[in-house]
Coordinates of all heavy atoms in Angstrom, one line a residue:
M1142 N 230.5 60.5 137.6 CA 229.3 61.1 137.0 C 229.7 62.6 137.0 O 230.0 63.2 138.0 CB 228.1 60.9 137.9 CG 226.8 61.4 137.3 SD 225.4 61.0 138.2 CE 225.2 59.3 137.8
N1143 N 229.5 63.2 135.8 CA 229.9 64.6 135.6 C 228.7 65.5 135.9 O 227.6 65.1 136.2 CB 230.5 64.9 134.3 CG 229.5 64.6 133.1 OD1 228.3 64.6 133.4 ND2 230.0 64.5 131.9
G1144 N 229.0 66.8 135.9 CA 227.9 67.8 136.3 C 226.7 67.8 135.4 O 225.6 68.0 135.8
K1145 N 227.0 67.6 134.1 CA 225.9 67.6 133.1 C 224.9 66.5 133.4 O 223.7 66.7 133.3 CB 226.4 67.5 131.7 CG 227.1 68.8 131.2 CD 227.5 68.7 129.8 CE 228.2 69.9 129.3 NZ 228.7 69.8 127.9
K1146 N 225.4 65.3 133.7 CA 224.6 64.2 134.0 C 223.8 64.4 135.3 O 222.6 64.1 135.3 CB 225.4 62.9 134.1 CG 226.0 62.4 132.8 CD 226.7 61.1 133.0 CE 227.3 60.6 131.7 NZ 228.1 59.4 131.9
I1147 N 224.4 64.9 136.3 CA 223.7 65.2 137.6 C 222.6 66.2 137.4 O 221.5 66.0 137.8 CB 224.7 65.6 138.6 CG1 225.7 64.5 139.0 CG2 224.0 66.2 139.9 CD1 226.8 64.8 139.9
C1148 N 222.9 67.3 136.6 CA 221.9 68.3 136.4 C 220.7 67.7 135.6 O 219.6 68.0 135.9 CB 222.5 69.5 135.6 SG 223.6 70.5 136.7
A1149 N 221.1 66.9 134.6 CA 220.0 66.3 133.8 C 219.1 65.4 134.7 O 217.9 65.4 134.6 CB 220.6 65.5 132.7
I1150 N 219.8 64.6 135.6 CA 219.0 63.7 136.5 C 218.1 64.6 137.4 O 216.9 64.2 137.6 CB 219.9 62.8 137.3 CG1 220.6 61.8 136.3 CG2 219.2 62.1 138.4 CD1 221.7 61.0 137.0
L1151 N 218.7 65.6 138.0 CA 217.9 66.5 138.8 C 216.7 67.1 138.1 O 215.6 67.2 138.6 CB 218.7 67.6 139.4 CG 219.8 67.2 140.5 CD1 220.7 68.4 140.8 CD2 219.1 66.7 141.7
L1152 N 216.9 67.5 136.9 CA 215.9 68.1 136.1 C 214.8 67.1 135.8 O 213.6 67.4 135.9 CB 216.4 68.7 134.7 CG 215.4 69.4 133.8 CD1 214.8 70.6 134.5 CD2 216.1 69.8 132.5
V1153 N 215.2 65.9 135.4 CA 214.2 64.8 135.1 C 213.4 64.5 136.3 O 212.1 64.3 136.3 CB 214.9 63.6 134.5 CG1 213.9 62.4 134.4 CG2 215.4 63.9 133.1
C1154 N 214.1 64.4 137.5 CA 213.4 64.1 138.7 C 212.4 65.2 139.1 O 211.2 64.9 139.5 CB 214.4 63.9 139.9 SG 215.3 62.4 139.7
S1155 N 212.8 66.4 138.9 CA 211.9 67.5 139.3 C 210.7 67.5 138.3 O 209.5 67.8 138.8 CB 212.6 68.8 139.3 OG 213.1 69.2 138.0
V1156 N 210.9 67.3 137.1 CA 209.8 67.3 136.1 C 208.9 66.1 136.4 O 207.6 66.2 136.4 CB 210.3 67.2 134.6 CG1 209.2 66.9 133.7 CG2 211.0 68.5 134.3
F1157 N 209.4 65.0 136.7 CA 208.6 63.8 137.1 C 207.8 64.1 138.3 O 206.6 63.7 138.4 CB 209.5 62.6 137.3 CG 208.8 61.4 137.7 CD1 208.0 60.6 136.8 CD2 208.8 60.9 139.0 CE1 207.3 59.5 137.1 CE2 208.1 59.8 139.4 CZ 207.3 59.1 138.5
A1158 N 208.4 64.8 139.3 CA 207.7 65.1 140.5 C 206.5 66.1 140.2 O 205.4 65.9 140.8 CB 208.6 65.7 141.6
L1159 N 206.8 67.0 139.3 CA 205.7 68.0 139.0 C 204.6 67.3 138.2 O 203.4 67.6 138.3 CB 206.3 69.1 138.2 CG 207.2 70.1 139.0 CD1 207.8 71.1 138.1 CD2 206.3 70.8 140.1
V1160 N 204.9 66.4 137.3 CA 203.9 65.7 136.5 C 203.0 64.8 137.4 O 201.8 64.7 137.1 CB 204.6 64.9 135.4 CG1 203.6 64.0 134.6 CG2 205.3 65.8 134.4
T1161 N 203.6 64.2 138.4 CA 202.8 63.3 139.2 C 201.8 64.0 140.1 O 200.8 63.4 140.5 CB 203.8 62.5 140.1 OG1 204.5 63.3 140.9 CG2 204.6 61.5 139.3
Y1162 N 202.0 65.3 140.3 CA 201.0 66.0 141.0 C 199.7 66.2 140.1 O 199.8 66.3 138.9 CB 201.4 67.5 141.3 CG 202.4 67.5 142.5 CD1 203.2 68.7 142.7 CD2 202.5 66.5 143.4 CE1 204.1 68.8 143.7 CE2 203.4 66.6 144.5 CZ 204.1 67.7 144.6 OH 205.0 67.8 145.7
Q1163 N 198.6 66.1 140.7 CA 197.4 66.4 139.9 C 197.1 67.9 139.9 O 196.8 68.4 141.0 CB 196.2 65.6 140.5 CG 196.4 64.1 140.4 CD 195.2 63.4 141.0 OE1 194.3 64.0 141.4 NE2 195.3 62.1 141.0
A1164 N 197.3 68.5 138.8 CA 197.2 69.9 138.7 C 195.8 70.4 139.1 O 195.6 71.5 139.6 CB 197.6 70.4 137.3
D1165 N 194.8 69.7 138.8 CA 193.4 70.1 139.1 C 193.1 70.0 140.5 O 192.2 70.6 141.0 CB 192.4 69.3 138.2 CG 192.5 67.8 138.5 OD1 193.6 67.4 138.9 OD2 191.5 67.1 138.2
A1166 N 193.8 69.2 141.3 CA 193.6 69.0 142.7 C 194.3 70.0 143.5 O 194.0 70.2 144.7 CB 194.0 67.6 143.2
Q1167 N 195.3 70.7 142.9 CA 196.0 71.7 143.7 C 195.8 73.1 143.1 O 195.6 73.3 141.9 CB 197.5 71.4 143.6 CG 197.9 70.1 144.3 CD 199.5 70.0 144.2 OE1 200.1 70.8 143.6 NE2 199.9 68.9 144.7
P1168 N 195.8 74.1 144.0 CA 195.7 75.4 143.4 C 197.0 75.8 142.6 O 198.0 75.2 142.8 CB 195.7 76.3 144.7 CG 195.5 75.4 145.8 CD 195.8 74.0 145.4
A1169 N 196.8 76.7 141.7 CA 197.9 77.0 140.8 C 199.1 77.6 141.5 O 200.3 77.4 141.1 CB 197.4 78.1 139.8
Q1170 N 198.9 78.3 142.6 CA 200.0 78.8 143.4 C 200.9 77.8 144.0 O 202.1 77.9 144.0 CB 199.4 79.7 144.5 CG 200.5 80.5 145.3 CD 201.2 81.5 144.4 OE1 200.6 82.1 143.5 NE2 202.4 81.8 144.7
T1171 N 200.3 76.6 144.4 CA 201.1 75.5 145.0 C 202.0 74.9 143.9 O 203.2 74.6 144.1 CB 200.2 74.5 145.6 OG1 199.3 75.1 146.5 CG2 201.0 73.4 146.2
V1172 N 201.4 74.7 142.7 CA 202.2 74.2 141.6 C 203.4 75.1 141.2 O 204.5 74.7 141.0 CB 201.3 73.9 140.4 CG1 202.2 73.5 139.2 CG2 200.3 72.8 140.7
K1173 N 203.0 76.4 141.2 CA 204.0 77.4 140.9 C 205.2 77.4 142.0 O 206.3 77.5 141.6 CB 203.4 78.8 140.8 CG 204.3 79.9 140.5 CD 203.6 81.2 140.4 CE 204.5 82.4 140.1 NZ 203.8 83.7 140.1
Q1174 N 204.8 77.3 143.2 CA 205.8 77.3 144.3 C 206.6 76.0 144.2 O 207.8 76.1 144.4 CB 205.1 77.4 145.7 CG 206.1 77.5 146.8 CD 207.0 78.8 146.7 OE1 206.5 79.9 146.4 NE2 208.2 78.6 147.0
D1175 N 206.0 74.9 143.9 CA 206.7 73.7 143.8 C 207.7 73.7 142.7 O 208.9 73.3 142.8 CB 205.8 72.5 143.6 CG 205.0 72.1 144.9 OD1 205.4 72.6 145.9 OD2 204.0 71.4 144.7
A1176 N 207.3 74.3 141.5 CA 208.2 74.5 140.4 C 209.4 75.4 140.8 O 210.5 75.1 140.4 CB 207.5 75.0 139.2
K1177 N 209.1 76.4 141.5 CA 210.1 77.4 141.9 C 211.1 76.7 142.9 O 212.3 76.8 142.7 CB 209.5 78.6 142.7 CG 210.4 79.7 143.0 CD 209.6 80.8 143.6 CE 210.5 82.0 144.1 NZ 209.7 83.1 144.6
D1178 N 210.6 75.9 143.8 CA 211.5 75.2 144.7 C 212.3 74.1 144.0 O 213.5 74.0 144.3 CB 210.6 74.4 145.8 CG 210.0 75.4 146.8 OD1 210.4 76.6 146.8 OD2 209.0 75.0 147.4
A1179 N 211.7 73.5 143.0 CA 212.5 72.5 142.2 C 213.6 73.2 141.4 O 214.7 72.7 141.3 CB 211.6 71.8 141.3
G1180 N 213.3 74.4 140.9 CA 214.3 75.1 140.2 C 215.4 75.5 141.1 O 216.6 75.5 140.7
K1181 N 215.1 76.0 142.3 CA 216.1 76.3 143.3 C 217.0 75.1 143.6 O 218.2 75.2 143.8 CB 215.5 76.9 144.5 CG 215.0 78.4 144.3 CD 214.5 78.9 145.6 CE 214.0 80.3 145.4 NZ 213.4 80.9 146.6
G1182 N 216.3 74.0 143.8 CA 217.1 72.8 144.1 C 218.0 72.4 143.0 O 219.2 72.0 143.3
I1183 N 217.6 72.5 141.8 CA 218.4 72.2 140.6 C 219.6 73.2 140.6 O 220.8 72.8 140.4 CB 217.6 72.2 139.3 CG1 216.6 71.1 139.3 CG2 218.6 72.2 138.1 CD1 215.6 71.2 138.1
G1184 N 219.3 74.4 140.8 CA 220.4 75.4 140.8 C 221.4 75.2 141.9 O 222.6 75.3 141.7
N1185 N 220.9 74.8 143.1 CA 221.8 74.5 144.2 C 222.7 73.3 143.9 O 223.9 73.3 144.2 CB 221.0 74.3 145.5 CG 220.4 75.6 146.0 OD1 220.9 76.7 145.7 ND2 219.4 75.5 146.8
G1186 N 222.0 72.3 143.3 CA 222.8 71.1 143.0 C 223.8 71.3 141.9 O 225.0 70.8 142.0
A1187 N 223.5 72.1 140.9 CA 224.4 72.5 139.9 C 225.6 73.3 140.4 O 226.7 73.0 140.1 CB 223.7 73.2 138.8
R1188 N 225.3 74.2 141.4 CA 226.4 75.0 142.0 C 227.3 74.1 142.8 O 228.5 74.2 142.7 CB 225.8 76.0 142.9 CG 226.8 77.0 143.5 CD 226.3 78.1 144.3 NE 225.2 77.8 145.2 CZ 223.9 78.0 145.1 NH1 223.5 78.6 144.0 NH2 223.1 77.7 146.0
E1189 N 226.7 73.1 143.5 CA 227.6 72.2 144.3 C 228.5 71.3 143.4 O 229.6 71.1 143.7 CB 226.7 71.3 145.2 CG 226.0 72.0 146.3 CD 227.0 72.7 147.3 OE1 228.0 72.0 147.6 OE2 226.8 73.8 147.7
V1190 N 227.9 70.9 142.3 CA 228.7 70.1 141.3 C 229.8 71.0 140.7 O 230.9 70.5 140.6 CB 227.8 69.6 140.2 CG1 228.6 69.0 139.0 CG2 226.8 68.5 140.7
G1191 N 229.5 72.2 140.4 CA 230.5 73.1 139.9 C 231.6 73.4 140.9 O 232.8 73.3 140.6
H1192 N 231.3 73.5 142.2 CA 232.3 73.8 143.2 C 233.1 72.5 143.4 O 234.3 72.6 143.6 CB 231.6 74.1 144.5 CG 231.1 75.5 144.6 ND1 231.1 76.3 145.7 CD2 230.4 76.3 143.6 CE1 230.6 77.5 145.4 NE2 230.1 77.5 144.2
G1193 N 232.5 71.4 143.4 CA 233.2 70.1 143.5 C 234.2 69.9 142.3 O 235.3 69.5 142.5
T1194 N 233.7 70.2 141.1 CA 234.6 70.1 140.0 C 235.8 71.1 140.1 O 236.9 70.7 139.8 CB 233.8 70.4 138.7 OG1 232.7 69.5 138.6 CG2 234.6 70.2 137.4
A1195 N 235.5 72.3 140.5 CA 236.6 73.3 140.7 C 237.6 72.8 141.7 O 238.8 72.9 141.5 CB 236.0 74.6 141.1
N1196 N 237.1 72.2 142.8 CA 238.0 71.8 143.9 C 238.9 70.6 143.3 O 240.1 70.6 143.6 CB 237.2 71.3 145.1 CG 236.6 72.5 145.8 OD1 237.1 73.6 145.7 ND2 235.6 72.2 146.6
V1197 N 238.3 69.7 142.6 CA 239.1 68.6 142.0 C 240.1 69.1 141.0 O 241.3 68.7 141.0 CB 238.1 67.6 141.3 CG1 238.9 66.6 140.5 CG2 237.3 66.9 142.4
A1198 N 239.7 70.1 140.2 CA 240.7 70.7 139.2 C 241.8 71.3 139.9 O 243.0 71.2 139.5 CB 239.9 71.6 138.3
K1199 N 241.5 72.1 141.0 CA 242.6 72.7 141.8 C 243.5 71.7 142.4 O 244.7 71.9 142.3 CB 242.0 73.6 142.9 CG 241.4 74.9 142.4 CD 240.8 75.7 143.6 CE 239.9 76.8 143.1 NZ 239.2 77.5 144.2
S1200 N 243.0 70.6 142.9 CA 243.8 69.6 143.5 C 244.7 69.0 142.5 O 245.9 68.7 142.8 CB 242.9 68.5 144.2 OG 242.2 69.1 145.3
I1201 N 244.1 68.7 141.4 CA 244.9 68.0 140.3 C 246.0 69.0 139.8 O 247.2 68.6 139.7 CB 244.1 67.6 139.1 CG1 243.2 66.4 139.5 CG2 244.9 67.2 137.9 CD1 242.1 66.1 138.5
G1202 N 245.7 70.3 139.7 CA 246.7 71.3 139.2 C 247.8 71.4 140.2 O 249.0 71.5 139.9
H1203 N 247.4 71.5 141.5 CA 248.5 71.6 142.5 C 249.3 70.4 142.6 O 250.6 70.5 142.8 CB 247.9 71.9 143.9 CG 247.3 73.3 144.0 ND1 246.4 73.7 145.0 CD2 247.4 74.4 143.2 CE1 246.0 74.9 144.8 NE2 246.6 75.4 143.7
G1204 N 248.7 69.2 142.5 CA 249.5 68.0 142.5 C 250.5 67.9 141.3 O 251.6 67.5 141.5
T1205 N 250.0 68.4 140.2 CA 250.8 68.4 139.0 C 252.0 69.3 139.2 O 253.2 69.0 138.8 CB 250.0 68.7 137.7 OG1 248.9 67.8 137.6 CG2 250.9 68.7 136.5
A1206 N 251.7 70.5 139.7 CA 252.8 71.5 140.0 C 253.8 70.9 140.9 O 255.0 71.1 140.7 CB 252.2 72.8 140.5
N1207 N 253.3 70.3 142.0 CA 254.3 69.7 143.0 C 255.1 68.6 142.4 O 256.3 68.6 142.6 CB 253.5 69.2 144.2 CG 252.9 70.3 145.0 OD1 253.4 71.5 145.0 ND2 251.9 70.0 145.8
A1208 N 254.5 67.8 141.6 CA 255.3 66.7 140.9 C 256.3 67.3 140.0 O 257.4 66.8 139.9 CB 254.3 65.8 140.2
A1209 N 255.9 68.3 139.2 CA 256.9 68.9 138.3 C 258.0 69.6 139.0 O 259.2 69.5 138.6 CB 256.1 70.0 137.4
R1210 N 257.7 70.2 140.1 CA 258.7 70.9 140.9 C 259.7 69.8 141.5 O 260.9 70.0 141.5 CB 258.1 71.7 142.0 CG 259.1 72.6 142.8 CD 258.4 73.6 143.8 NE 257.1 73.2 144.3 CZ 256.0 73.7 143.9 NH1 255.9 74.5 142.9 NH2 254.8 73.3 144.5
T1211 N 259.1 68.7 142.0 CA 259.9 67.6 142.5 C 260.9 67.0 141.4 O 262.0 66.8 141.7 CB 259.0 66.5 143.1 OG1 258.2 67.1 144.1 CG2 259.8 65.4 143.7
V1212 N 260.3 66.8 140.3 CA 261.1 66.3 139.2 C 262.2 67.3 138.8 O 263.4 66.9 138.6 CB 260.2 65.9 137.9 CG1 261.0 65.7 136.7 CG2 259.3 64.8 138.3
G1213 N 261.8 68.5 138.7 CA 262.8 69.6 138.4 C 264.0 69.6 139.4 O 265.1 69.7 139.0
H1214 N 263.6 69.6 140.7 CA 264.7 69.6 141.7 C 265.5 68.3 141.7 O 266.7 68.4 141.8 CB 264.0 69.8 143.1 CG 263.5 71.1 143.4 ND1 264.3 72.3 143.4 CD2 262.2 71.6 143.6 CE1 263.5 73.3 143.6 NE2 262.3 72.9 143.8
G1215 N 264.8 67.2 141.4 CA 265.6 66.0 141.3 C 266.6 66.0 140.1 O 267.7 65.6 140.2
A1216 N 266.1 66.5 139.0 CA 267.0 66.7 137.8 C 268.2 67.6 138.1 O 269.3 67.4 137.7 CB 266.2 67.2 136.6
A1217 N 267.9 68.7 138.8 CA 268.9 69.6 139.2 C 270.0 69.0 140.1 O 271.2 69.1 139.9 CB 268.4 70.9 139.9
D1218 N 269.5 68.2 141.1 CA 270.4 67.5 142.0 C 271.2 66.5 141.2 O 272.4 66.4 141.5 CB 269.6 66.8 143.1 CG 268.9 67.7 144.1 OD1 269.4 68.9 144.1 OD2 268.0 67.3 144.8
V1219 N 270.6 65.8 140.3 CA 271.4 64.8 139.5 C 272.5 65.6 138.7 O 273.6 65.2 138.6 CB 270.5 64.0 138.5 CG1 271.3 63.3 137.5 CG2 269.6 63.1 139.3
G1220 N 272.1 66.7 138.1 CA 273.0 67.5 137.3 C 274.2 68.0 138.2 O 275.4 67.9 137.7
H1221 N 273.9 68.4 139.4 CA 275.0 68.8 140.3 C 275.9 67.7 140.7 O 277.1 67.8 140.7 CB 274.4 69.5 141.6 CG 273.7 70.8 141.4 ND1 274.4 71.9 140.9 CD2 272.5 71.2 141.6 CE1 273.6 72.9 140.8 NE2 272.4 72.5 141.2
G1222 N 275.3 66.5 140.9 CA 276.0 65.3 141.2 C 277.0 64.9 140.1 O 278.1 64.6 140.3
I1223 N 276.5 65.0 138.8 CA 277.3 64.7 137.7 C 278.4 65.7 137.6 O 279.6 65.3 137.3 CB 276.4 64.7 136.4 CG1 275.5 63.5 136.4 CG2 277.3 64.6 135.1 CD1 274.5 63.5 135.3
A1224 N 278.1 67.0 137.8 CA 279.1 68.0 137.7 C 280.2 67.8 138.7 O 281.4 67.9 138.4 CB 278.5 69.4 137.8
H1225 N 279.8 67.5 139.9 CA 280.8 67.3 141.0 C 281.6 66.0 140.7 O 282.9 66.0 140.9 CB 280.1 67.1 142.4 CG 279.6 68.4 142.9 ND1 280.5 69.4 143.3 CD2 278.4 68.9 143.1 CE1 279.8 70.4 143.8 NE2 278.5 70.2 143.6
G1226 N 281.0 65.0 140.2 CA 281.7 63.7 139.8 C 282.7 64.0 138.7 O 283.8 63.5 138.8
A1227 N 282.3 64.8 137.7 CA 283.2 65.1 136.6 C 284.4 65.9 137.1 O 285.5 65.6 136.7 CB 282.4 65.8 135.5
R1228 N 284.1 66.8 138.0 CA 285.2 67.7 138.5 C 286.2 66.8 139.4 O 287.4 66.9 139.3 CB 284.6 68.8 139.4 CG 285.7 69.7 139.9 CD 286.4 70.5 138.8 NE 287.4 71.3 139.3 CZ 288.3 71.9 138.6 NH1 288.2 71.8 137.3 NH2 289.2 72.7 139.1
E1229 N 285.6 65.9 140.2 CA 286.5 65.0 141.0 C 287.3 64.1 140.1 O 288.4 63.8 140.3 CB 285.6 64.2 142.0 CG 285.1 65.1 143.1 CD 284.2 64.3 144.0 OE1 284.0 63.1 143.8 OE2 283.6 64.9 144.9
G1230 N 286.6 63.6 139.0 CA 287.3 62.8 138.1 C 288.5 63.5 137.4 O 289.6 63.0 137.2
W1231 N 288.2 64.8 137.0 CA 289.2 65.6 136.4 C 290.4 65.8 137.3 O 291.6 65.7 137.0 CB 288.6 66.9 135.9 CG 289.7 67.9 135.4 CD1 290.2 68.9 136.0 CD2 290.4 67.7 134.1 NE1 291.1 69.5 135.2 CE2 291.3 68.8 134.1 CE3 290.3 66.9 133.1 CZ2 292.1 69.0 133.0 CZ3 291.1 67.1 132.0 CH2 292.0 68.1 131.9
N1232 N 290.1 66.1 138.6 CA 291.1 66.4 139.6 C 291.9 65.1 139.8 O 293.2 65.2 139.9 CB 290.5 66.8 140.9 CG 290.0 68.3 140.8 OD1 290.4 69.0 139.9 ND2 289.1 68.6 141.8
A1233 N 291.3 64.0 139.9 CA 292.0 62.7 140.1 C 292.9 62.4 138.9 O 294.0 62.0 139.0 CB 291.0 61.6 140.3
T1234 N 292.4 62.7 137.7 CA 293.2 62.4 136.5 C 294.4 63.3 136.4 O 295.5 62.9 136.1 CB 292.3 62.7 135.2 OG1 291.2 61.8 135.3 CG2 293.1 62.4 133.9
T1235 N 294.2 64.6 136.7 CA 295.4 65.5 136.6 C 296.4 65.2 137.7 O 297.6 65.3 137.5 CB 294.9 67.0 136.8 OG1 294.2 67.1 138.0 CG2 294.1 67.4 135.6
H1236 N 295.9 64.8 138.9 CA 296.8 64.4 140.0 C 297.6 63.1 139.6 O 298.8 63.1 139.8 CB 296.0 64.1 141.3 CG 296.9 63.7 142.4 ND1 297.8 64.5 143.0 CD2 296.9 62.4 143.0 CE1 298.4 63.8 144.0 NE2 297.9 62.6 144.0
A1237 N 296.9 62.2 138.9 CA 297.6 61.0 138.5 C 298.6 61.2 137.4 O 299.7 60.7 137.5 CB 296.5 59.9 138.0
V1238 N 298.3 62.1 136.5 CA 299.2 62.4 135.4 C 300.4 63.1 136.0 O 301.6 62.8 135.7 CB 298.5 63.3 134.3 CG1 299.6 63.9 133.4 CG2 297.5 62.5 133.6
K1239 N 300.2 64.1 136.9 CA 301.3 64.8 137.6 C 302.2 63.8 138.4 O 303.4 63.9 138.4 CB 300.8 65.9 138.5 CG 300.3 67.1 137.7 CD 299.8 68.1 138.7 CE 299.2 69.3 138.0 NZ 298.7 70.3 138.9
H1240 N 301.5 62.8 139.0 CA 302.2 61.9 139.8 C 303.1 60.9 138.9 O 304.2 60.6 139.3 CB 301.2 61.0 140.7 CG 301.9 60.1 141.6 ND1 302.6 60.5 142.7 CD2 302.0 58.7 141.6 CE1 303.0 59.5 143.4 NE2 302.7 58.4 142.7
V1241 N 302.5 60.5 137.8 CA 303.2 59.6 136.9 C 304.4 60.3 136.3 O 305.5 59.8 136.2 CB 302.3 59.0 135.8 CG1 303.1 58.3 134.7 CG2 301.3 58.1 136.5
F1242 N 304.2 61.5 135.8 CA 305.3 62.2 135.1 C 306.1 63.2 136.0 O 306.9 63.9 135.5 CB 304.6 63.0 133.9 CG 304.1 62.1 132.9 CD1 302.7 62.0 132.7 CD2 304.9 61.4 132.0 CE1 302.2 61.1 131.7 CE2 304.5 60.6 131.0 CZ 303.1 60.4 130.9
H1243 N 305.8 63.2 137.2 CA 306.5 64.0 138.2 C 306.6 65.5 137.8 O 307.6 66.1 137.9 CB 307.9 63.5 138.5 CG 307.9 62.1 139.0 ND1 307.6 61.8 140.2 CD2 308.3 60.9 138.3 CE1 307.7 60.5 140.4 NE2 308.1 59.9 139.2
S1244 N 305.5 66.0 137.2 CA 305.6 67.3 136.7 C 305.3 68.3 137.8 O 305.5 69.5 137.6 CB 304.5 67.5 135.6 OG 303.2 67.3 136.1
G1245 N 305.0 67.9 139.0 CA 304.7 68.8 140.1 C 306.0 69.1 140.9 O 305.9 69.9 141.8
D1246 N 307.1 68.5 140.5 CA 308.3 68.8 141.3 C 308.9 70.1 141.0 O 309.5 70.6 140.3 CB 309.4 67.6 141.0 CG 308.8 66.3 141.5 OD1 308.0 66.4 142.4 OD2 309.2 65.3 141.0

């Protein structure tokens, strides 16, 4: 459930709570205070949803960065391994050619 849906639900609930009060049975100040409290509750809920969304986004971003760094290091390690293997292959080939043709004598 995203923040917009939660805010909408909070707003509908607060409006429903205000409508269910009988305005003529309560002084105007009480209705005003209740509306003010409901507004603060909606604001607090929206802020919490925003903070939660920000935390999730940060976690996803950091996880993506860590994964990319891991893949990058793995690719670098593979590249180094290939380079070392190629160098060892070249050394073995030159040694074998020298050995066969006795060019090292």
Side-chain angles (χ1 to χ4, degrees):
M1142 185 175 286
N1143 64 19
K1145 288 183 181 180
K1146 288 182 183 179
I1147 291 173
C1148 288
I1150 290 171
L1151 288 172
L1152 182 63
V1153 169
C1154 289
S1155 63
V1156 169
F1157 180 75
L1159 289 174
V1160 169
T1161 56
Y1162 284 161
Q1163 294 182 2
D1165 58 335
Q1167 294 183 359
Q1170 188 63 33
T1171 304
V1172 173
K1173 183 178 175 182
Q1174 185 61 42
D1175 289 345
K1177 187 175 177 181
D1178 292 342
K1181 285 182 181 179
I1183 291 170
N1185 290 340
R1188 184 174 47 254
E1189 291 299 319
V1190 168
H1192 286 219
T1194 303
N1196 290 338
V1197 168
K1199 285 178 192 174
S1200 297
I1201 290 171
H1203 289 165
T1205 302
N1207 290 338
R1210 190 171 26 258
T1211 301
V1212 168
H1214 287 299
D1218 290 343
V1219 168
H1221 290 301
I1223 291 171
H1225 286 292
R1228 183 65 184 172
E1229 288 175 5
W1231 174 255
N1232 289 341
T1234 301
T1235 56
H1236 177 68
V1238 168
K1239 286 180 182 180
H1240 184 72
V1241 169
F1242 292 107
H1243 302 286
S1244 62
D1246 294 336

